[in-house]
Amino acid sequence: MNLKLLGSALVLATIAAPSVASAQDDASQIQIKAFATVVLPDGKITAVDTDIVGLPADTQTKASDNVVPTLAAEYFFSSNFSLETICCLTQHDVDGTTGLPGAELVSDAKLIPATVTAKYHFPVAGVKPYLGAGATYFWWVDVEPGEATLPLGVTRTTLSDEFGLVLQAGLDVPLNDEGFGLSVDAKHYFVDTTARWFAGDTLAIETDHELDPWVISAGVSYRF
């Protein structure tokens, strides 16, 4: 798996990389990162608010995983404190697991997870571990009815945009004194959404879902 290779490269770089002068870090306030990112959402149903079609009593769902490119931009207020935002678009299906096993209920739902985190970078020589926390807004830009819902007369599906919280941990490994490095990052989001299926103008099904994705990234960085 590519992330395992990146992780191995990061470990080797951590061992081999010389300590980068702190003066260069203090002078460089902006860092850009290019990641390969795995998005691992939950998607389970936490409540059924409306059901006029008679879902099986044990109906449960799972959102699909995805791998996407991600960009991160970070501003350092000091060598230890920074503010970071990310840019990505991820796409997911929602399928039944029990009650409706394998049934596609939501198709190609596209999400922009607008995220800002405040980060503390530990003063460790060579490598740069950090912890962060912040806020996110999950913005669904396109959602399609799943194939299994079409025979029920479903014509439109929506997922509600929601605010949430995010926790973060990671490690930056400088490779030289010119600003280049490697980076790994893990975020855990705490966000819910409400799914609605409409038949014409009639609300047929409304369910609440726990998304709470893990977002794991590895890639390269440049600080300037």
Side-chain angles (χ1 to χ4, degrees):
M1 183 178 182
N2 288 338
L3 286 181
K4 290 183 178 179
L5 294 176
L6 286 170
S8 299
L10 182 60
V11 171
L12 292 174
T14 303
I15 297 171
S19 177
V20 177
S22 61
Q24 191 270 340
D25 286 344
D26 292 339
S28 305
Q29 294 181 301
I30 298 174
Q31 183 165 248
I32 303 297
K33 299 178 180 180
F35 284 133
T37 297
V38 179
V39 184
L40 308 169
D42 188 329
K44 69 181 179 183
I45 296 173
T46 56
V48 177
D49 302 318
T50 301
D51 176 17
I52 68 172
V53 301
L55 293 173
D58 61 343
T59 296
Q60 194 50 267
T61 58
K62 175 72 173 68
S64 63
D65 303 333
N66 196 10
V67 179
V68 296
T70 305
L71 292 176
E74 185 172 10
Y75 182 83
F76 284 80
F77 296 95
S78 70
S79 59
N80 298 114
F81 292 97
S82 67
L83 200 65
E84 182 182 77
T85 186
I86 64 169
C87 175
C88 77
L89 176 70
T90 181
Q91 180 174 295
H92 304 272
D93 296 335
V94 178
D95 297 329
T97 55
T98 59
L100 297 169
E104 184 186 66
L105 305 177
V106 176
S107 176
D108 299 337
K110 298 177 181 63
L111 170 67
I112 297 176
T115 303
V116 176
T117 55
K119 299 165 62 177
Y120 176 76
H121 301 259
F122 293 91
V124 179
V127 298
K128 304 293 183 182
Y130 59 81
L131 293 175
T136 187
Y137 183 71
F138 274 24
W139 177 25
W140 298 96
V141 296
D142 185 26
V143 181
E144 300 295 335
E147 184 177 355
T149 70
L150 299 179
L152 301 176
V154 170
T155 56
R156 181 166 60 96
T157 301
T158 65
L159 297 173
S160 64
D161 303 335
E162 301 287 348
F163 285 101
L165 301 176
V166 57
L167 299 178
Q168 179 182 25
L171 181 70
D172 294 327
V173 181
L175 294 179
N176 55 36
D177 59 2
E178 297 178 355
F180 292 98
L182 298 176
S183 183
V184 292
D185 183 90
K187 297 182 182 70
H188 191 194
Y189 288 81
F190 300 90
V191 189
D192 297 334
T193 191
T194 298
R196 298 179 177 91
W197 289 263
F198 294 86
D201 294 329
T202 301
L203 177 61
I205 304 172
E206 180 177 293
T207 53
D208 298 328
H209 295 257
E210 180 182 279
L211 296 177
D212 292 1
W214 281 95
V215 178
I216 313 297
S217 303
V220 295
S221 63
Y222 178 62
R223 186 168 173 178
F224 59 97

